[in-house]
Amino acid sequence: MAHQAAPDANTRLFAPGFAGHSQISARTLGFWLYMLSDALLFTALFAAYAVLDTPMNAAGGPIASQIVNPVEGFWQTIAILGSVTAYSLATVALKTGNRAGVMLGIVAAMVLAVVFLGFGFNDLATLTAQGNGMDRSGYLSAYFVLILTHAIHMLFGLIWMLVMLVQIPRDGFNEMVVARLLNLRMFWQFQATVWVCVYIYVYMIGA
Amino acid sequence: MQVHVPGPWSPLFGRLTLDQIPYNIPILQYTFAGAMLAAIVVVGAVLYFKKVGYFWREWLTTVDHKKIGVMYIVIGLVMLFRGFADGLLIRTQQVLANGPNAPGYMGAQHGFLPPFHFDQVYSAHGTIMILFAATPILTGFQNIVVPLQLGARDMAFPYMNALSLWLTAGAAGLVMLSLFVGDFSAAGWVGLIPLTELPYSPSTGVDYWMWAIQISSVGTTLNAINMIVTIVEMRAPGMTWFRMPIFSWTTLSTNIIGLTAFPVLGVALALLGADRYLGTHFFTAGMGGNLMLYTNLFWLWGHPEVYFLILPVFGILSEVVPTFCEKPLFGYVTMVAASFAIAGVSWVVWLHHFFTMGAGPDINGFFSVATMLVGIPTGVKVFNWAFTMYRARITYTVPMLWAMFGLFLLLAGGLTGMMLAIPAVNYTVHDSVFVIAHFHCMVLLVVAAAFAGVSYWFPKVFGFRLDESWGKAFFWTFSIATLIVFTAMFALGFEGETRRLDWTFNTAWKPMLVVEEIGMILYVISLACFALMLVFSIVNRKKNAAGPDAWGTSRTLEWLTPSPVPFYNFAVTPQVNTRDELAWRRKHGLDKAQPEHFEAIHMPSNTGMPFVIGMLAAVWGFAMIWRIWWLAAISLTALIVCVIIRSFYKNEGYHLQPEEIAAMERDLALGSVVSEQPDRSHHHYSHVEAH
Amino acid sequence: MAGSHSDPLAHPEVRMGGAMRYIAGFISTVALMGAALIVTLRHDMGYETYVEVVGGLAALALLSQAVLFYGLDISRAQIWKSVSLILTVPLFIITVGLTVWMFQSLDQRTMVMPNSAAAATQPTLLQ
Amino acid sequence: MRLKPYLALLPMLALAACASSGDYLLFHPENLIATQEWHATIVDTVVMMLVILPVLLVIVWFGWRYRAGANAKHDPDWSHNTALELLVWGVPLLIVGGLGWYTVKTLYAIEPYNPGLLQKQIAADPQNVLHVDVIATDWQWIFVYPQQKIATIDQLVVPQGAVVKFNLTSASVSNDIYVPQLLPMIAVMPGMRTKDTFDAPKLGQWTGFAADFSGAGFSWMQFDTKIVSPADFTAWVQKAAASPDQLSYATFQKLAQPHANIGAKISYFSNPDPQLFDKVVAAAQAGVVYPVSAALTKSIASNETEK
């Protein structure tokens, strides 16, 4: 306080016409913060997985190396990365306001995501059918819940994409739609980021 | 894969049967009668005075951060009262049930509460006080104060702000409902594992606890996002980071904790839920589960949560002390640094909650020393407040008295906290009431700061000060009661009394248990003083009417705008020139300066959607608790559909025209209340700009 | 609020993306994962070296996503995202790292592994 | 406001006056381990008082000296002093540094699995180590003496001069075991085995109890703790060994069914299953639980049980 200047002729007390912040920036920052909190959610799940990934926690059931297949995981990796790249390319079309381009990118992203989820659900269904469901052992509980949490995120992303496919033709690229498209891009990319961690940690190092 | 639950289950009502309504327990009969009476009075009054529309328009659908803040605080105070009633039951039970020959009343072997009921009471006490009283009250202050301190129109996301509130309210409703439908968790507010697993807690109590916390913590996380974005993006022009008031700084640091810690709690509870609902083995003792994993995840959130509560308290003290010292806060920059140091260190200390579980000395040593590190920034803060008082001119108003009491509690809590951080000491008192006394010093610091904040900011929100003499009576009875109860509790800790005892077997504890009970009676008297304070304040509201700067010595921007604050906050956004802007303006005679002309203000429209979504979340929680699958499916689908519908809204708010603002500012200067928004429900679409 | 007057498509976060960047992101991540897969399938290094190599490849993949896909940098539009991400990384390390460290010690001291075949009827002596 | 510090002192005085009474169990440690922990409490308090007392005095002094109307010097701009700010960081840093060093040192002295304090005593007379397996059930304590081939419910008897080594586990939920004057708390968890060690220098009798909540019967989980002369211990062992009840695993399974032992009645068993502890741990790991029915939870320790 000692360094405070005294007011002079140039001192302004009010800021009429203050433009404020940009809605889009606030929304993307807010959504980014939500994603960091979601990242902490996955962090906790990874911590749980790491603790439960021991032979003892398999309780006589299968261990990681018996249930994951890194090669199949690689196809999944390509599918999900393809999906996020397709979506990202859709946002490149957004720069020119190209509605058809944006929607085409979204549809491509959805198709690849369904392929990715198909692999995942097939794995889980096969395991369950063999009697190695999530209630078999502590280890399988951790494995199933980690994979399912990621898959549920993906399903919400797909619902979100469907909503956007309705809103783009209906509303055009207004501020809200653009903010949602940008947020969805982060959300979708985030699923790929989580998958990279899952793939490396569960499918490779764990196996 | 659905797990088998004991007891009947029907597709239509799930586990819900008529005998789940505990109509034959006398205490609950009285509680129910009281609750119904209160509900009839409130609802009757609303109907009689034809205020249904008013409540819907002005409160249930509001997106105004000040009203949302007020509702948070009201919810918090109601739950504080409920939690206090639980505390009173606990203390009374322990006095009555002391010693082998203690008589039993009302069907209990000792005392008047059978264990199953007592265990619910203490579990509810902890859960409510931490998550449904302290958290909403502090969130309420942040909501009211931070946008005003920053010179902003509202929060960054007004709609999401309302959503956070109604999720919290829905969750609080679930906790209250557990009194009359089914039971509450009997396994501690921390959810002692594996006691919370289905074989050991077969009833729906744990489910109530779990889903209520889960829903409210979603609200808290959303609120954290909102607060951080508000602080980052919405500061008035000229408000650089180091001109920001300390309360906003602590709000930022506390919400960083909220944002990152609550998801971990969500995972801990969701995995417990998977165990209870899907038959997984995360935390079971057998089949490859790891029960300490739950404890680890819970405290990974639980310890940051402590600082989540304490940091805004430090912020409130840092606003109140300088105001009534008529001096700037000593060591502003170190205060900011200390807040972030506390937030950072809070992430590496969680294991001190389970030093006794058998981990090696190197691990206990690491977490012990990390815990002690928290003492450094906390010590810095105490020193800073003390030096703020140097060469001050201190007025002992009610908020200042609460702040001084808070400092005292912080010293007591700090001393005992350092003890508990030492494993060698911790082993002797780990689960004793010494720990209870320690953390009650800390949470009563939260309560003290909450009352400091209530009396400090009340005139800002309602336009008149609270009655000073009843406020002092409330302060003295409350603080003396606190000293009595918790000094006795520290003594009991040294006498070896452990926590959560339904029957206190050692007769040597009797004298201190009686002392505690005397303190509890004084607490009851202090509550009466609180009620009288509110009554007399409302009666004398004309006499205690406050101008913009209610205390005459306040220092921050919220005191620049009229009291009560008009719904648009500032007619013209202020330009910030320095730290403690208002004190600077007052010093140079500029605090009464008014803007020359007004410009249109963009305001968001009210919406009922957050209320609907919050209530749907509560219905979904209820359906999950009772395993009524059809209702759960419908309410969850409805909730998602509501979120989607909301995204199709085109209403982007309305513009308040300069002439309207000028008229309202004139009215405010004449002293009439314009906190009600003009009804825009019919013509606001005309103001939406087209794209 | 007041910012809503400008063209949403002119927003810096819309302008930021680029087709080449995204394709580069795709190719680099797939290549890094492919390399990790090959290392895994060949099984020809010690466990610790293997974890270091694969972990390094994963870190590179995450970094390439941060730069190429999320477009994180220190520009005015992105600075708070970068700062908040950098502040979150230690939390990830603390949470997983300290938890694993703690449970390794705890399991050693408290989890005594019974002979699972004999567990139900004839448990072996545990000490 | 000037009354407040004195008010705060009153209860402290009361506490000091009571401290000499035997009711303050933690003030009267009865063995090396508990004594060390009590010393840590005192050291911590004294060191912390070095900073807390001055701060308290400063607050009271400033609060009185600079009250409005006292006509003391008012300096409305003073808010920064580099030397002072270094001091306010430096003092807590020093205190925490000192206490941290002390903590780590004591940590190894009282490490429950292998306390440094008792190393010498164990090395001097390895024969004088008494092994006891402790099993917590809902809601009783079972003490198994594998060397003496006896077991008890809710009674722990130890010969004077011995070092006692506990193996602890639980058949149902988690708990903590606690004898304030002798045995600091340690967690007792199902499917897991913790250890604790303590010495028994003095004859006497104490109450031990459960410290971590374990369900409806928790408040009634006390056990009698005795340190007796070696001769009396031998006699006691013989008495217990004469018990016709034998503690087979099947008997244990019956005992472990949830029920509150109101009054903490003591029972003795001869010939406990030598692998009982291991079987309990293995069973818990294999998923065996002793479920508590909702009806039992609601009725326990209420008059309904007597109907």
Side-chain angles (χ1 to χ4, degrees):
Chain A
M1 293 292 284
H3 317 294
Q4 278 176 352
D8 57 29
N10 293 327
T11 302
R12 292 170 66 210
L13 296 178
F14 296 97
F18 173 57
H21 63 290
S22 141
Q23 267 291 340
I24 294 182
S25 301
R27 282 176 163 256
T28 53
L29 177 61
F31 195 80
W32 177 261
L33 291 174
Y34 153 73
M35 268 179 24
L36 291 185
S37 117
D38 217 18
L40 261 293
L41 186 151
F42 277 107
T43 301
L45 283 177
F46 273 114
Y49 184 88
V51 170
L52 294 175
D53 182 18
T54 71
M56 177 144 182
N57 297 103
I63 57 171
S65 56
Q66 291 165 323
I67 59 169
V68 296
N69 179 350
V71 179
E72 188 203 295
F74 187 65
W75 301 128
Q76 277 185 278
T77 309
I78 291 177
I80 193 168
L81 280 168
S83 177
V84 300
T85 309
Y87 188 92
S88 296
L89 292 174
T91 59
V92 175
L94 178 66
K95 285 198 320 195
T96 52
N98 175 355
R99 284 190 197 189
V102 173
M103 290 172 68
L104 186 69
I106 292 179
V107 170
M110 291 176 76
V111 169
L112 285 164
V114 169
V115 170
F116 170 86
L117 288 173
F119 274 113
F121 282 122
N122 183 42
D123 281 355
L124 299 188
T126 314
L127 275 172
T128 309
Q130 291 165 349
N132 292 323
M134 57 161 68
D135 50 356
R136 171 66 186 84
S137 72
Y139 168 71
L140 283 170
S141 301
Y143 173 77
F144 268 71
V145 168
L146 183 61
I147 301 292
L148 279 174
T149 309
H150 181 244
I152 290 170
H153 275 80
M154 299 273 292
L155 286 176
F156 272 100
L158 287 176
I159 295 177
W160 191 350
M161 287 185 187
L162 281 175
V163 171
M164 294 323 293
L165 286 182
V166 179
Q167 285 189 354
I168 293 169
R170 178 176 173 270
D171 298 343
F173 294 124
N174 69 21
E175 194 174 32
M176 291 298 132
V177 169
V178 168
R180 280 182 205 120
L181 285 171
L182 290 175
N183 284 347
L184 180 51
R185 195 176 79 78
M186 285 193 280
F187 183 76
W188 206 236
Q189 186 62 47
F190 177 65
Q191 306 318 322
T193 309
V194 171
W195 175 256
V196 166
C197 296
V198 171
Y199 183 52
I200 291 285
Y201 191 71
V202 177
Y203 284 66
M204 291 194 189
I205 295 180
Chain B
M1 199 151 57
Q2 188 202 325
V3 292
H4 172 74
V5 287
W9 182 87
S10 69
L12 190 56
F13 294 111
R15 298 182 75 185
L16 192 57
T17 54
L18 257 188
D19 61 354
Q20 293 288 353
I21 316 280
Y23 49 82
N24 52 356
I25 296 177
I27 297 177
L28 287 177
Q29 290 167 352
Y30 302 134
T31 317
F32 185 71
M36 282 301 113
L37 200 66
I40 289 168
V41 169
V42 172
V43 174
V46 169
L47 291 176
Y48 181 80
F49 294 108
K50 301 202 168 55
K51 289 286 188 189
V52 179
Y54 165 78
F55 269 102
W56 178 255
R57 275 197 314 276
E58 289 297 321
W59 293 93
L60 301 188
T61 62
T62 190
V63 290
D64 179 345
H65 69 99
K66 300 172 290 295
K67 284 183 176 155
I68 289 173
V70 168
M71 284 189 280
Y72 264 121
I73 293 176
V74 168
I75 292 173
L77 288 176
V78 169
M79 297 308 277
L80 189 70
F81 179 73
R82 157 87 204 272
F84 170 75
D86 288 337
L88 190 62
L89 291 179
I90 298 171
R91 295 265 62 82
T92 309
Q93 165 75 9
Q94 290 198 334
V95 175
L96 290 179
N98 179 257
N101 300 319
Y105 311 94
M106 293 160 68
Q109 170 98 13
H110 300 288
F112 67 107
L113 292 173
F116 182 58
H117 195 174
F118 177 84
D119 301 339
Q120 290 176 57
V121 169
Y122 84 72
S123 306
H125 173 76
T127 310
I128 287 174
M129 286 305 205
I130 303 246
L131 286 154
F132 296 101
T135 304
I137 290 177
L138 295 174
T139 308
F141 283 126
Q142 294 164 23
N143 256 290
I144 296 172
V145 177
V146 168
L148 289 170
Q149 280 195 333
L150 300 178
R153 253 326 145 238
D154 205 320
M155 301 276 281
F157 310 112
Y159 162 78
M160 197 168 83
N161 199 19
L163 184 58
S164 309
L165 169 77
W166 292 114
L167 287 171
T168 308
L174 279 181
V175 174
M176 294 306 246
L177 189 65
S178 73
L179 271 176
F180 308 123
V181 184
D183 46 62
F184 195 68
S185 171
W189 82 273
V190 300
L192 295 160
I193 199 82
L195 195 59
T196 44
E197 292 282 350
L198 211 45
Y200 299 105
S201 294
S203 74
T204 52
V206 169
D207 302 325
Y208 264 114
W209 166 83
M210 190 170 77
W211 291 115
I213 296 180
Q214 197 74 287
I215 292 170
S216 83
S217 64
V218 172
T220 309
T221 312
L222 294 181
N223 184 66
I225 294 171
N226 215 338
M227 284 290 170
I228 297 174
V229 177
T230 304
I231 292 172
V232 171
E233 296 271 350
M234 299 193 51
R235 302 190 310 280
M239 184 173 280
T240 55
W241 283 106
F242 282 98
R243 287 179 184 169
M244 201 164 78
I246 289 282
F247 184 72
S248 296
W249 270 116
T250 54
T251 297
L252 179 62
S253 58
T254 209
N255 281 300
I256 291 173
I257 295 178
L259 179 75
T260 47
F262 274 85
V264 183
L265 173 69
V267 168
L269 293 177
L271 300 188
L272 177 64
D275 277 6
R276 285 180 68 89
Y277 284 79
L278 303 171
T280 55
H281 294 283
F282 282 102
F283 309 133
T284 53
M287 303 303 286
N290 187 329
L291 52 97
M292 286 314 291
L293 178 61
Y294 170 83
T295 315
N296 187 66
L297 290 175
F298 184 87
W299 286 113
L300 247 168
W301 160 80
H303 204 81
E305 159 73 11
V306 172
Y307 296 106
F308 177 76
L309 293 179
I310 286 292
L311 282 168
V313 165
F314 290 164
I316 293 175
L317 296 188
S318 303
E319 297 293 332
V320 169
V321 170
T323 296
F324 297 105
C325 285
E326 298 186 36
K327 268 185 78 219
L329 184 72
F330 178 83
Y332 171 93
V333 177
T334 48
M335 209 65 161
V336 172
S339 300
F340 283 83
I342 290 174
V345 179
S346 78
W347 269 89
V348 289
V349 302
W350 77 88
L351 192 128
H352 69 225
H353 291 270
F354 38 106
F355 276 148
T356 60
M357 73 171 164
D362 38 354
I363 293 199
N364 284 351
F366 174 87
F367 282 96
S368 163
V369 174
T371 304
M372 290 181 178
L373 289 179
V374 179
I376 299 174
T378 314
V380 169
K381 285 181 174 262
V382 178
F383 277 117
N384 282 355
W385 290 316
F387 287 129
T388 304
M389 291 160 70
Y390 176 69
R391 291 193 176 165
R393 194 190 292 146
I394 308 171
T395 327
Y396 286 98
T397 55
V398 173
M400 186 64 186
L401 288 174
W402 284 113
M404 294 290 283
F405 183 57
L407 288 188
F408 178 77
L409 286 174
L410 181 57
L411 287 177
L415 167 67
T416 47
M418 277 305 235
M419 285 188 188
L420 291 167
I422 299 177
V425 182
N426 190 300
Y427 286 153
T428 64
V429 287
H430 173 74
D431 261 321
S432 86
V433 294
F434 185 87
V435 173
I436 315 295
H438 157 72
F439 73 66
H440 276 79
C441 281
M442 295 328 251
V443 290
L444 278 154
L445 165 62
V446 176
V447 175
F451 287 130
V454 165
S455 42
Y456 181 60
W457 280 304
F458 190 89
K460 188 78 254 167
V461 178
F462 293 102
F464 57 96
R465 280 186 298 276
L466 287 169
D467 187 275
E468 192 77 2
S469 34
W470 280 106
K472 283 188 175 155
F474 172 49
F475 167 77
W476 285 109
T477 44
F478 190 96
S479 52
I480 293 170
T482 304
L483 282 183
I484 294 175
V485 173
F486 294 100
T487 310
M489 201 179 276
F490 277 123
L492 280 168
F494 285 123
E495 290 184 345
E497 195 201 351
T498 46
R499 320 168 61 159
R500 301 168 179 137
L501 283 175
D502 168 35
W503 170 55
T504 51
F505 52 86
N506 187 345
T507 45
W509 297 335
K510 184 88 175 190
M512 284 300 162
L513 289 172
V514 171
V515 171
E516 286 186 330
E517 187 69 9
I518 293 169
M520 292 309 283
I521 293 167
L522 195 54
Y523 267 135
V524 175
I525 295 173
S526 85
L527 278 185
C529 293
F530 179 76
L532 287 170
M533 173 182 80
L534 288 184
V535 171
F536 282 102
S537 305
I538 294 171
V539 170
N540 297 331
R541 63 184 181 281
K542 291 262 155 54
K543 198 181 82 193
N544 290 330
D549 182 4
W551 304 100
T553 55
S554 349
R555 314 186 65 81
T556 40
L557 275 186
E558 75 264 33
W559 303 99
L560 189 65
T561 180
S563 312
V565 187
F567 61 87
Y568 48 79
N569 287 2
F570 297 91
V572 175
T573 302
Q575 171 80 36
V576 178
N577 296 283
T578 180
R579 194 184 295 162
D580 287 357
E581 173 77 10
L582 180 63
W584 177 81
R585 289 192 186 192
R586 192 190 305 112
K587 183 176 165 188
H588 298 289
L590 299 170
D591 51 327
K592 301 281 191 300
Q594 292 298 322
E596 282 148 22
H597 66 281
F598 303 109
E599 294 187 351
I601 298 174
H602 178 258
M603 297 297 295
S605 304
N606 285 359
T607 163
M609 198 56 106
F611 180 75
V612 172
I613 294 179
M615 295 307 108
L616 279 174
V619 170
W620 178 70
F622 184 82
M624 289 303 288
I625 288 163
W626 291 100
R627 301 177 191 233
I628 311 171
W629 306 126
W630 63 268
L631 183 59
I634 290 178
S635 50
L636 185 62
T637 313
L639 197 155
I640 294 170
V641 168
C642 278
V643 171
I644 292 173
I645 289 176
R646 162 75 198 180
S647 78
F648 281 87
Y649 273 25
K650 280 197 168 166
N651 178 6
E652 294 177 22
Y654 59 91
H655 279 92
L656 206 59
Q657 299 307 322
E659 51 275 24
E660 294 175 287
I661 304 170
M664 277 186 275
E665 287 284 302
R666 245 192 332 273
D667 289 348
L668 281 168
L670 295 174
S672 59
V673 175
V674 281
S675 61
E676 282 190 29
Q677 293 187 29
D679 184 6
R680 296 262 169 192
S681 49
H682 300 299
H683 59 278
H684 55 222
Y685 284 97
S686 61
H687 294 280
V688 178
E689 64 265 59
H691 282 280
Chain C
M1 289 183 198
S4 58
H5 298 286
S6 52
D7 175 15
L9 295 184
H11 193 272
E13 285 176 56
V14 177
R15 309 313 309 168
M16 189 184 72
M20 288 323 288
R21 222 170 78 185
Y22 294 139
I23 291 167
F26 174 78
I27 292 173
S28 64
T29 313
V30 169
L32 287 163
M33 291 297 101
L37 179 67
I38 290 166
V39 170
T40 303
L41 293 180
R42 279 175 53 172
H43 264 305
D44 58 357
M45 49 179 87
Y47 181 72
E48 292 203 344
T49 332
Y50 164 71
V51 170
E52 279 164 21
V53 169
V54 175
L57 290 170
L60 282 180
L62 295 179
L63 193 69
S64 86
Q65 294 199 21
V67 175
L68 295 171
F69 277 117
Y70 293 110
L72 290 180
D73 53 33
I74 53 169
S75 70
R76 227 182 109 60
Q78 297 288 71
I79 177 74
W80 291 112
K81 289 180 195 158
S82 308
V83 167
S84 53
L85 179 67
I86 289 166
L87 289 175
T88 311
V89 171
L91 297 185
F92 181 86
I93 296 168
I94 286 169
T95 305
V96 178
L98 288 184
T99 297
V100 168
W101 178 49
M102 189 273 270
F103 276 99
Q104 271 174 356
S105 155
L106 186 71
D107 287 1
Q108 239 169 34
R109 287 165 60 101
T110 62
M111 286 282 194
V112 274
M113 179 97 178
N115 180 331
S116 57
T121 50
Q122 197 69 34
T124 49
L125 197 64
L126 299 169
Q127 281 94 336
Chain D
M1 57 247 66
R2 78 201 120 109
L3 265 178
K4 187 152 42 75
Y6 301 109
L7 280 173
L9 284 178
L10 271 182
M12 285 180 194
L13 281 178
L15 203 140
C18 300
S20 54
S21 101
D23 296 343
Y24 286 79
L25 309 182
L26 295 187
F27 297 174
H28 302 280
E30 304 273 15
N31 64 4
L32 280 175
I33 299 280
T35 306
Q36 170 69 60
E37 301 191 316
W38 170 233
H39 283 170
T41 313
I42 295 173
V43 168
D44 173 82
T45 312
V46 169
V47 173
M48 285 297 287
M49 279 302 167
L50 290 180
V51 60
I52 283 184
L53 276 184
V55 172
L56 202 61
L57 286 176
V58 161
I59 291 176
V60 172
W61 175 39
F62 287 173
W64 172 248
R65 178 81 182 81
Y66 297 107
R67 70 196 187 281
N71 283 326
K73 185 170 165 39
H74 180 217
D75 187 350
D77 286 332
W78 186 79
S79 67
H80 177 75
N81 180 317
T82 308
L84 259 182
E85 292 195 29
L86 284 177
L87 190 75
V88 302
W89 284 92
V91 170
L93 189 70
L94 280 181
I95 300 255
V96 164
L99 278 178
W101 170 80
Y102 177 78
T103 298
V104 173
K105 198 176 75 119
T106 51
L107 206 51
Y108 289 87
I110 51 107
E111 210 287 274
Y113 281 41
N114 191 14
L117 272 181
L118 301 181
Q119 292 288 17
K120 263 191 210 150
Q121 201 173 336
I122 296 172
D125 189 359
Q127 297 305 310
N128 207 10
V129 173
L130 177 70
H131 288 278
V132 182
D133 291 340
V134 184
I135 304 169
T137 67
D138 281 349
W139 290 276
Q140 304 184 89
W141 293 101
I142 297 180
F143 298 95
V144 182
Y145 291 68
Q147 296 154 321
Q148 285 73 16
K149 296 192 169 44
I150 56 164
T152 76
I153 288 179
D154 285 353
Q155 189 181 41
L156 171 68
V157 177
V158 171
Q160 188 186 15
V163 169
V164 186
K165 277 184 175 276
F166 274 175
N167 277 334
L168 306 110
T169 193
S170 165
S172 56
V173 298
S174 296
N175 213 320
D176 265 12
I177 193 168
Y178 187 37
V179 186
Q181 302 94 326
L182 292 177
L183 176 66
M185 294 176 204
I186 189 84
V188 181
M189 298 169 287
M192 296 158 88
R193 185 264 292 124
T194 44
K195 293 184 179 184
D196 207 352
T197 315
F198 65 101
D199 53 324
K202 291 184 196 161
L203 298 178
Q205 183 169 10
W206 300 272
T207 305
F209 42 99
D212 198 8
F213 183 71
S214 60
F218 160 74
S219 300
W220 288 269
M221 273 184 89
Q222 288 88 44
F223 59 92
D224 179 38
T225 309
K226 272 185 189 158
I227 299 180
V228 298
S229 67
D232 287 350
F233 180 72
T234 315
W236 176 80
V237 168
Q238 278 164 1
K239 190 182 99 185
S243 165
D245 302 324
Q246 303 198 346
L247 189 58
S248 64
Y249 185 65
T251 314
F252 172 84
Q253 285 175 307
K254 283 196 203 92
L255 285 176
Q257 291 308 320
H259 71 284
N261 182 355
I262 292 177
K265 294 175 203 79
I266 297 165
S267 322
Y268 298 109
F269 298 92
S270 53
N271 285 326
D273 182 330
Q275 293 191 336
L276 183 64
F277 187 88
D278 302 344
K279 283 182 181 173
V280 171
V281 174
Q285 287 182 352
V288 172
V289 289
Y290 293 89
V292 182
S293 71
L296 175 73
T297 325
K298 285 181 187 173
S299 66
I300 189 159
S302 71
N303 291 339
E304 289 167 49
T305 43
E306 289 160 24
K307 276 172 201 158

